[in-house]
Amino acid sequence: MKEIKNFINGGYVAAASGKTFPNVCPADGRSLSVVHEAGRDEVDQAVAAARGALKGEWGRMSVNERVAILYKVADGINARFDEFLEAECLDTGKPRSLASHIDIPRGAANFKIFADTIKNAGTETFVMDTPDGTGAINYALRQPKGVIAVVCPWNLPLLLMTWKVGPALACGDTVVVKPSEETPSTATLLGEVMNDAGVPAGVYNVVNGFGPDSAGAFLTSHPGVDAITFTGETVTGEHIMQAAAVGLRDISLECGGKNAAIVFADADLDKAVEGTLRSAFANCGQVCLGTERVYVERPIFDEFVARLKRGAENMSLGAWDDPATTMGPLISEEHRNKVLSYYRKAEELGATVVTGGGVPDMPGDLARGCWIQPTIWTGLAEDSVIVKEEIFGPCCHVAPFDDEDEVIAMANDTHYGLASALWTENVTRLHRVAAQIDAGIVWTNSWFLRDLRTPFGGMKMSGIGREGGHYSLEFYTELKNVCVKL
Ligand code: NAD
């Protein structure tokens, strides 16, 4: 059986405790590998390696030298594209068509984009008057923040991890990554790429394990960590914020969502249906930016629901390497039980199940996987748990609306504020409504169209801080003002 070890100080390290846990493919339940669970010892070693690297060769490198290495990391991922692709697809069950277009290319691109960002980043200068008339100049220097703990989820493992590791390394920090226990493979494989690219030992470290009373909690409470960047559930974010309070460490939190799509009667219906199908069902609905609430203007409501139903029923559930597959399974049995509990709740609350609502019959080995039907509901009250809570499965509730103010109020009536999608051909309305939606990103006539220079993050309980382009530099560096009296 393949073993996945921790990656510490440039080498692979077994758990001293001998504790391991299984890594299972959610598509068919087969065991992929055994993972060495990091205890306090391994987390200590990883943090010490990261601290040491700050003072070594890495800390002395020029920005241009770091940039050159990050380009090599990106090239190294691309050179081993098929290995990363297979590892990601087996860990998650997601189709090749998705991971080959999004997860792996974006995983590589995250190193180049932040290499380019740091190379072109400037700082402000202020010239000031002084009482003696000679004046002074202030200029700012960016210096690395230090050792960054990177805690990641399972839905887009390589993409979301490198979205943090890329800027951290570009800024000269060192990292200790805690991948999700469900998806340890690509973070571990990246260790080899780092070594091959010439990243000095200790700059990139990976500790495997769970959250509470395991590697996640040991890392985020470790006093040798200077800042914590986290993507995952809001409630986990709250725990991490508490851990970060000790020692006054900085945090960046990208958390959950309950995202709304608004489809106006003047929308291009083909585009709106296609976009909503993607936003509700891509990655089996396990995308933080995905749509779980759809509001459709009443004159087109019936037609929209009928077309969305056809689209959902045309999705092809199957093995990751089958070119016909458009949807994979949920990540785990535990997560399927959670999503199915919402499916049952929707029916108890009197929802009309437009399509889906259960578990599909899958052939052969796939029958042992965590499959679930894409599901559409109508008819629920706006205050029902289905409309309020993040489900994180391939499902959405569709409700009609009659006017613009009403639908803006409905879209904003949530504790979350991550993303939103508007569908209208009326350009004035598009700008007017976009300005009133409380979400960190508002897509209009599109979904998941990402320019990596733009600010990304959530309002309200969806997170704290913004990532992307120079916004990432705010978190991964300390700005220091130098005041020069002339
Ligand atoms: P999760 O919060 O359960 O786990 C995320 C990571 O935190 C895992 O590595 C886990 O082991 C670790 N962890 C759990 N408890 C911890 C603790 N007490 N201390 C330290 N570490 C701990 O999230 P998940 O189930 O892996 O991912 C799904 C969630 O992530 C959804 O809520 C989704 O919306 C969110 N998400 C948000 C974004 C975004 O950009 N806003 C992106 C992707 C996913």
Side-chain angles (χ1 to χ4, degrees), residues 193-272:
V193 171
M194 292 280 175
N195 282 348
D196 291 346
V199 175
V203 171
Y204 173 80
N205 305 277
V206 181
V207 289
N208 286 301
F210 302 83
D213 204 25
S214 182
F218 300 155
L219 178 63
T220 50
S221 60
H222 199 291
V225 164
D226 296 299
I228 304 166
T229 175
F230 167 76
T231 299
E233 280 189 33
T234 296
V235 59
T236 314
E238 289 175 343
H239 287 128
I240 287 185
M241 214 169 157
Q242 285 173 354
V246 179
L248 228 58
R249 280 98 46 81
D250 203 359
I251 42 159
S252 161
L253 301 180
E254 298 286 1
C255 298
K258 187 72 184 177
N259 310 305
I262 302 176
V263 187
F264 289 95
D266 59 21
D268 177 323
L269 213 51
D270 289 341
K271 277 196 266 176

Side-chain angles (χ1 to χ4, degrees), residues 21-65:
F21 60 94
N23 179 27
V24 171
C25 176
D28 53 17
R30 89 179 106 141
S31 291
L32 297 169
S33 49
V34 288
V35 188
H36 286 253
E37 183 178 351
R40 286 191 193 276
D41 279 356
E42 288 77 27
V43 172
D44 275 348
Q45 287 170 37
V47 173
R51 287 227 80 78
L54 286 171
K55 300 270 172 254
E57 183 192 355
W58 182 247
R60 292 189 294 273
M61 267 184 203
S62 68
V63 169
N64 279 338
E65 286 169 324

